[in-house]
Amino acid sequence: MKTKQAATLLFLVFIFPFLSAQESDSTATTNGRLLPSSDATVPENGDYGVNALQEYNEAYYVVNRLNEAIGLPPNKFNFQSPQATLEHFVVSARSGNYEDAAYALNLNLLPDSLTPEQAATLAEKLYFILNQRVSIDWGSLSDRPDGQIDISTATNKAISGKPLRSVVFGEIGLDGRDIVLRLQRVKYKEFGAFWLISANTVENIDALYEQYGPRQLDRMMPDWARIKWLNMPVWKFAGTFLLIFISYLIGKFSLFILRRLFRKSKQIWVKTIAKKLATPAAWAIGVLFFYITLNKLISFGGSFASTLYAILLIAVIGTITWFIMRFIDSFMVYVAETKIGDADPEENSEARMMMTYISVARRVITFIVIIVGIAVILSQFRSLEKLGISLIASAGLATVILGVAAQSTLGNIIAGIQIAITRPARIGDTVIINDDWGYVEDIRFTYMVVRTWDQRRLIVPLKHIISNTFENWSMTSAHQIRPIILHADYEIDVSKIRTKFEEILKDNENWDEEYPPKVQVVETTETGIKIRALCSAKDASTTWDLHCELREELVRFICELENGKHLSKTRLQFENEPEVENSEKTKKKKKSKAKKKSKTKKTKQNPETREADQKEEKSKD
C-alpha cells in the first residue's frame, strides 16, 4: 500500500500540472532562449512571389530571386558543398545563433513579408526536429561542390561522375506521408552556385514542428530542473521511469479487472477471454498508455530518441500482434471444445477431420499474423526500407539464398497445408510410422506429434508424411481386423479349435460382431501347422486387447487338449536305431530285460536268501 501511495504522489507531482495547467510556451528555454511556440511561424496571409526557378541546369537550379526577407548569405559563410552548408546550420543552431543558421535556408516558397526573426524561428524549429528525429549520415554527404562522393580506384585516381543539384540528408514521416529533407544547389544572377536547404523542406518546418516539437513537460520544466546527465536532462530519465511504473500498475489493474469481470460469467467464451486474453490485453493497455503519455509529455533527442522510439514501436506492435494471436488461438480452441464432438473415439471421423482443419488453420493464421506484424514493424524503419530496396536489386541472389536456407521450413509449412487439404492423416488417427504404432496427437507448423502406445512422442516432419509411405489404420474407418497366429501339431483336430474360438469370441464384449468368427490353417511346416483366427473390434486399441485375450484363451485350450498332446513338437529318428514292429514286442523285450536285471541282483545276495528265492521260483513254475 505504501508503494501505491508513493506512486500516486509521484503521479500527481509529475502529471497533475500537465492536466490542470493550460498550454504555456513561455516557461521552457533552450540555450537561454524560449522554445518556439507550436503555432505557425509563417503568416497565413502573405504576399507570395512567383516561381523563382528560371532554368533547370544540369548542375544547379537557376533562380531569379533568393531570400529577399533576409538577403543573400554573407561571403564569410562556406556554402560551397552540401556538407559545408549543413555543418554551418547545425553548428550555428547549436550555439544558439539561429539568425546565422537561417542563411542556410531557401525561403523562396514563403511570403515576401517574412521577417528575419521569423526566419530565425524557422531555423530553430528545424534544428529541434533534426536533433529529435533525424539521424544524419554525414559520411554520405559530399564535401565537393558538384555533390559527388569521392571514390578512389586501385590506381588512386578519383572517378568523375555527373554533378548533382539535389542531395537527400534525411527523411521523416508526416501525416502518413514521407517528407524528404534535401539540400539543393542554386545559382542567383552572377553569383556562383552554392548549396541551401531546399525550399520544399523549409515549407514543411511548421507542420513537422507541430508534430515533433517539444512536449508538455518540456515546456513546463524550469531551467533549474534541466540538470543534464549523459547530455540529457535528468528529469526526463526520472519522468520516463515514473511513466513505466505507472504503466505497469495500470496493466496489473487492467488484468485484475478483466479476470474478475469475466470469470464469474457462465458463458464459456467469456471465461476463455478471462483465461487467455486478459494477460495480452493488460500488456497492450500498459504499453499503449506508456507510448501515448511519453509522446505527449516528454521528448528525447539524438540517437537515444531514435533507439527509444524504435523499441516502443516494436513493443506496441508486438503486444497488439500477441493479442490478435491469442484471440485467434482462443477462438479456435473454443470452437474445438464446444462446437466439435469428442475426437478421441476413432470412429468419430468427422470430429477428427474438423480438429485437423482447426489445428492447421490455427498455425497458418498465426504464422500470417506474425509475418504481418513483422512487416508492419519493418515498414516503420526507413533504413530497413533501403535494405529492402538493396535486396530487390539483388533479387536473384537473395531468392537463391532464401530458398536454400528456408527450404526445409517452407516445405514443411506447405506440407501442412497439403495434409489439411488431402487428409492422409488427421488428429486422432492410428498410424504406424517407422514401425512405431501410435496416435496423431497434434499437427503443428512444421511437424506432426505422434503419441505411441507406451506414451512416447514421435516428432515427424510434415514433409516425411507427404513424401513417404506410412500406415493409417483409421483413414476411412476405425474398425479393424487382427489375426491370431497359433502353431500346433499335425494330429490336432482344427474343428475343436474353431468351435472353441467361436465360443470365446461371442462371450467377449469387445467383439463388434461385424466380422464373423473364422479359423483357418494358413500354412504347414516341417514341425506342424499354422492356424490363423480372425477377430474384429471398433478400433485399433480395442482390437489389440481382444486379440491378446483370445490368443491367451486359445493357447490355454491347446495346452489342455488331451494333456498337451497337440502342442507343436519336433520328431527325431536316428539312422542306426532298429525299427519297432509293434508295441507288444517292445513290451516283452522290456520285461525280459527287467528279469535279467533282477536275477543279476539276486546272485549278489547272501546264500540263504538266494536258496529261498530259487525254491520260490520253482514252486511258481
Side-chain angles (χ1 to χ4, degrees), residues 272 328-341 354-355 358:
T272 302
I328 294 171
D329 189 69
S330 59
F331 175 75
M332 295 289 188
V333 171
Y334 168 74
V335 172
E337 292 179 351
T338 59
K339 304 300 182 181
I340 299 177
M354 292 302 300
M355 284 295 295
I358 289 176

Side-chain angles (χ1 to χ4, degrees), residues 212-264:
Y212 298 108
R215 303 299 187 262
Q216 298 291 345
L217 292 181
D218 287 315
R219 300 182 180 282
M220 293 169 56
M221 287 294 167
D223 284 341
W224 60 265
R226 300 177 182 274
I227 301 173
K228 291 189 176 182
W229 180 61
L230 297 178
N231 201 29
M232 190 174 299
V234 176
W235 73 266
K236 292 190 176 184
F237 288 105
T240 302
F241 284 115
L242 176 62
L243 287 178
I244 292 174
F245 180 68
I246 295 173
S247 301
Y248 172 77
L249 292 180
I250 290 176
K252 294 289 288 185
F253 181 73
S254 302
L255 180 63
F256 173 77
I257 293 298
L258 289 173
R259 286 180 174 174
R260 286 292 295 267
L261 287 177
F262 295 130
R263 278 185 175 176
K264 295 181 179 180

Side-chain angles (χ1 to χ4, degrees), residues 9 192 295 362 425 450 491 566 583 594:
L9 180 61
N295 271 331
R362 280 173 59 190
V450 178
E491 296 180 353
H566 302 295
S583 59

